[in-house]
Each structure stands twice: as structure tokens, then as C-alpha cells.
């Protein structure tokens, strides 16, 4: 590290498992090509390391990331050799929970109409953002089983929602709406809260009350609500209906996979795990995809767009825009991997975008 250079951003890179190890190097290549003043430090946390010496995260790991880096860039975690998936849980959920990265931000943008499975949908029709609560809900894994393996077995999975957690994610969504524009440059104007408060009345009631309160602080932004089941139908019937969506951990996980389908599949989707003012973590939405790992066929664009999102967060706006334009050019010219109808391999697609981003 160069302590003299204070503007240079320090990025911790954790490629992880499976296709994470293939797509992250491509994204790093593109970041360098775009001329971003960054310094990478790579960490080998993942299945190989866990199988070698049992380590998932070193004792000081999360504190070190928060202390020594401006951002974390992660690939994917999950390996069929680790049946319990314990390493993935400890690394990924560990970062989200212990670094308190409470806002999972997933932009959903259609770069080219041919990528969308819906008919008569143009890129301008799919341009929304899902803000998912990232530190609470059922993902805390609170609960337990009783009389396991018997006919009387009971399994309880708790859904934890705190006033503080709900309020900060809803406020983040309104502030995000205020600050961010759509791809065509027009302002964002609506925040929609998605829940299942007709069935889950306790947690839903809290979300409803807090949403109304916080919405009152942002009179210029339209506050809307939908039940999660209705939202799923609406998303495939008319994605134009959405602008900024805020929801809990589990619904956010589910609807963002559906949303990824609208923009060309998991291989295209980017995400950030953010706590304003603290070291945040950026990762493509897709997992380690074991069936396609090691074949040079994984789509690197989700990781590359995630890199652009990270640079934007670090206020390297010019470099972020260069990368986004280069990916758009690749999509329009079909310089893509097979999942998007192209013929290029992971490395070749990354190379093409890097070349383009360097100009
Ligand atoms: P996780 O539970 O970790 O989110 P998952 O099992 O839900 O992972 P992925 O590992 O993301 O899902 O992948 C599921 C399938 O989607 C893959 O087997 C692959 O066919 C496709 N896929 C995912 N990411 C990509 C990519 N980058 N390029 C091409 N195909 C992909």
C-alpha cells in the first residue's frame, strides 16, 4: 500500500469460488483499463482455503476490511465439496452482518431489448432499483428444531425486524430516490414498499407504520405499496410500474432474481452491500454456478457492472461511466458470452470490454 497517495482507493478483492474466480479477474482488468486510481489486495477466502486449512475468515478479518480498505469487491461463494456451505455463510453473511452492510442495492436495467424475455419491452421500460434490507429478517437464522427426525418434529424460523433496521433501510430508499437519476437522465420519483403485511401482520405492521412516517419526510417522492405476490405478477406484466422498490431480506432476495431475468439473466446483474460512510462490499448477484465453472463460459458482465457500481460509490464517476458504456457497446455489438447470444468466452468478452473502456 502507498500511504502517501490518499486519493488512491484501496480495494480488497475476494474472488471466492467457482465462476467468481473467472469473472473477477476480468472486472479487475476492466477497472485498470478504465484508468481508475485504485490499488487491489487479493484475499484467498473461499472453499479451497477452507478445505486446505479450515479457515473461512481470519479472526481479525472483517475489522481489517473495514479499517484498511475503501471497498470490498467479492466474487461468489459456494462449492459442492463443502456440503454445509459453511464457508460461504461465514464469509458472505459475515461481511453483511458484521460490517453492518444494511442496504443491498440492486439496479435492474435492460441494456438491449433482445435480452428481455418479455415482448414489446424497450430498455427505457426496465430501469428500476431494488433496495433490500440486508442484516435482519429470516436470514439471521434464528429459531430451532425440536424432536428432529421424529413424526413430531417442529421447526421454527424467526423473522426478525427491528424498528432501527426497518427505519434505516426505508430512509435509505427515499434518499437513494432523491439522489439518483434514471438512465435517460430523468429524476427518480417513486418509492414502493413491498411486504406481505396482510398475512405477516406483526412484521408487516412495523414496516407499514415506519414507511408512512418516513415517507412524510419526503413529500416530493410518491410513496406506494404492493404485496409481494402482486408485485411479482406486475413485474412480468409491466416493469414500467417500478422506480425504487424497498423490501425485506427474503422478499428482496427472491424478487431480484426475477428482476435479473428481465435484464438478461443472472449473468448481467450487479449489486452493492452498502452502509453509508463505512467500507461497503460489491458483488455480482449470481452465485458460484458450479456446473459452468472452469469452462470459460461464464458471463463476466455482472461482475464488470458491479465494478462500475463500486467505482461510482467511490466517486470515480468518469471511470464508472466508461465501463458502463463499454458494456453497453459490447451488448449492442453482441460481443458477449453464450448466455446472451454471443460466441465469446469469459476472457474474450472481458478483454473486449477492457479494450473499449480504455479509449
Ligand atoms: P446462489 O445460491 O449462490 O445465489 P444459485 O445456485 O442460486 O447461487 P448461481 O450459482 O448464480 O445460482 O447460478 C445458477 C445458474 O445460472 C448457473 O448454473 C448458470 O446456468 C446460470 N448463471 C449464473 N451466473 C451466470 C453467469 N455469470 N454466466 C452465465 N450463466 C450464469
Amino acid at each position: 500500500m502507498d500511504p502517501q497517495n490518499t486519493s488512491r482507493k484501496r480495494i480488497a478483492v475476494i474472488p471466492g469460488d467457482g465462476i467468481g474466480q473467472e469473472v473477477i479477474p476480468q472486472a479487475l482488468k476492466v477497472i485498470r483499463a478504465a484508468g481508475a486510481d485504485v490499488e487491489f489486495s487479493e484475499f484467498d477466502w473461499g472453499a479451497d482455503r477452507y478445505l486446505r486449512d479450515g479457515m473461512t475468515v481470519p479472526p481479525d478479518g472483517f475489522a481489517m476490511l473495514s479499517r484498511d480498505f475503501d471497498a470490498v469487491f467479492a466474487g461468489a461463494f459456494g462449492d459442492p465439496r463443502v456440503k454445509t456451505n459453511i464457508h460461504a455463510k461465514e464469509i458472505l453473511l459475515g461481511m453483511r452482518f458484521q460490517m453492518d452492510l444494511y442496504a443491498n442495492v440492486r439496479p435492474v436495467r435492460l441494456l438491449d431489448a433482445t435480452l428481455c424475455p418479455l415482448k414489446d419491452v424497450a430498455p427505457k421500460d426496465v430501469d428500476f432499483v431494488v433496495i433490500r434490507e440486508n442484516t435482519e429478517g429470516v436470514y439471521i437464522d434464528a429459531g430451532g428444531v425440536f424432536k428432529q427426525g421424529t413424526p413430531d418434529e417442529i421447526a421454527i424460523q424467526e423473522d426478525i425486524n427491528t424498528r432501527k433496521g426497518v427505519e434505516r433501510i426505508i430512509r435509505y430508499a427515499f434518499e437513494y430516490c432523491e439522489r439518483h437519476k434514471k438512465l435517460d437522465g430523468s429524476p427518480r420519483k417513486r418509492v414502493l414498499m413491498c411486504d406481505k403485511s396482510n398475512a405477516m401482520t406483526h412484521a408487516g405492521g412495523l414496516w407499514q407504520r415506519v414507511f408512512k412516517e418516513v415517507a412524510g419526510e419526503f413529500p416530493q417522492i410518491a410513496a406506494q405499496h404492493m404485496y409481494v405476490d402482486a408485485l411479482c405478477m406486475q413485474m412480468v406484466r409491466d416493469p414500467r410500474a417500478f422506480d425504487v422498490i424497498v423490501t425485506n431480506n427474503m422478499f428482496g432476495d427472491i424478487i431480484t432474481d426475477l428482476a435479473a431475468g428481465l435484464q438478461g439473466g443472472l449473468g448481467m446483474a450487479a449489486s452493492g452491500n452498502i452502509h453509508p460512510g463505512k467500507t461497503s462490499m460489491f458483488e455480482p448477484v449470481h452465485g458460484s454456478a458450479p456446473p459452468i465453472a472452469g469452462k470459460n463460459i461464464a458471463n463476466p458482465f455482472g461482475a464488470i457492472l458491479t465494478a462500475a457500481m463500486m467505482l461510482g460509490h467511490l466517486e470515480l464517476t468518469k471511470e464508472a461511466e466508461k465501463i458502463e458504456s463499454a458494456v453497453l457497446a459490447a451488448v449492442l455489438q453482441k460481443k458477449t458470452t453464450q448466455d446472451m447470444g454471443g460466441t465469446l468466452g469469459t476472457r474474450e468478452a472481458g478483454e473486449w470490454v477492457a479494450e473499449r473502456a480504455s479509449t
Side-chain angles (χ1 to χ4, degrees):
M1 260 181 240
D2 174 5
Q4 302 303 314
N5 188 337
T6 49
S7 68
R8 176 169 298 160
K9 301 296 181 190
R10 298 155 305 163
I11 299 176
V13 180
I14 315 175
D17 306 329
I19 63 170
Q21 295 185 5
E22 297 174 78
V23 297
I24 294 300
Q26 299 314 311
L28 300 185
K29 192 160 68 185
V30 174
I31 294 174
R32 284 194 199 95
D37 187 12
V38 296
E39 185 172 285
F40 300 123
S41 301
E42 203 160 315
F43 294 89
D44 67 352
W45 307 354
D48 285 339
R49 178 71 195 262
Y50 174 68
L51 290 169
R52 207 165 57 238
D53 62 15
M55 192 210 77
T56 55
V57 180
D60 180 41
F62 300 123
M64 179 269 299
L65 292 178
S66 298
R67 187 184 60 232
D68 297 343
F69 293 95
D70 296 299
V72 180
F73 188 37
F77 302 91
D79 186 305
R81 293 171 299 166
V82 185
K83 296 277 176 276
T84 56
N85 223 19
I86 177 75
H87 72 296
K89 237 178 163 174
E90 289 192 5
I91 299 168
L92 204 52
L93 294 186
M95 276 193 276
R96 289 179 183 170
F97 290 148
Q98 299 206 31
M99 295 165 73
D100 201 24
L101 305 177
Y102 67 86
N104 185 234
V105 179
R106 299 189 174 189
V108 183
R109 291 166 167 179
L110 178 63
L111 296 183
D112 185 50
T114 58
L115 300 177
C116 186
L118 306 182
K119 57 178 189 298
D120 303 329
V121 168
K124 68 174 170 34
D125 299 329
V126 182
D127 183 2
F128 61 91
V129 180
V130 181
I131 313 268
R132 163 188 173 190
E133 203 296 317
N134 218 17
T135 55
E136 302 192 342
V138 291
Y139 287 68
I140 286 176
D141 208 19
V145 285
F146 180 53
K147 297 189 178 176
Q148 193 170 19
T150 75
D152 295 325
E153 180 166 349
I154 299 168
I156 296 174
Q157 197 79 44
E158 304 278 11
D159 183 6
I160 308 294
N161 297 261
T162 67
R163 163 85 206 195
K164 175 182 154 193
V166 174
E167 186 176 331
R168 68 182 181 175
I169 193 67
I170 289 175
R171 179 161 288 109
Y172 184 91
F174 278 95
E175 287 171 353
Y176 184 98
C177 186
E178 252 186 343
R179 280 198 324 270
H180 289 80
K181 292 195 179 349
K182 296 189 149 212
L183 266 185
D184 65 7
S186 63
R188 295 202 175 272
K189 291 181 181 154
R190 289 168 291 148
V191 175
L192 184 148
M193 194 269 282
C194 153
D195 65 15
K196 188 66 188 164
S197 53
N198 49 349
M200 299 160 74
T201 58
H202 310 301
L206 175 64
W207 278 78
Q208 288 280 342
R209 277 181 280 116
V210 174
F211 185 64
K212 282 199 187 77
E213 271 176 46
V214 177
E217 297 170 24
F218 298 86
Q220 74 288 8
I221 296 174
Q224 304 172 321
H225 170 259
M226 271 183 124
Y227 297 124
V228 63
D229 44 348
L231 178 134
C232 288
M233 187 172 73
Q234 184 67 19
M235 211 176 258
V236 291
R237 287 181 78 158
D238 185 10
R240 273 171 292 247
F242 302 110
D243 194 347
V244 176
I245 299 172
V246 61
T247 191
N248 71 17
N249 210 337
M250 185 170 72
F251 297 150
D253 191 11
I254 297 168
I255 66 173
T256 51
D257 264 32
L258 177 58
L262 298 178
Q263 64 182 136
L266 280 172
M268 289 298 289
S271 84
N273 298 271
I274 295 172
H275 186 129
K278 291 192 181 179
T279 300
S280 295
M281 186 267 282
F282 296 81
E283 52 166 342
V285 169
H286 63 73
S288 57
I292 63 165
K295 298 178 178 162
N296 195 38
I297 57 175
N299 182 352
F301 289 179
I304 294 172
L305 290 168
T306 300
M309 193 179 173
M310 175 174 69
L311 295 186
H313 180 81
L314 296 173
E315 294 179 350
L316 297 168
T317 316
K318 191 167 52 79
E319 293 83 352
E321 281 169 1
K322 267 189 186 178
I323 294 175
E324 283 179 356
S325 314
V327 171
L328 178 61
V331 169
L332 296 179
Q333 296 181 39
K334 279 271 173 288
K335 302 294 181 189
T336 61
T337 43
Q338 291 164 21
D339 56 307
M340 294 177 64
T343 56
L344 299 185
T346 309
R347 283 189 295 276
E348 293 70 25
E351 196 59 54
W352 196 93
V353 174
E355 179 90 36
R356 183 81 179 207
S358 69
T359 55

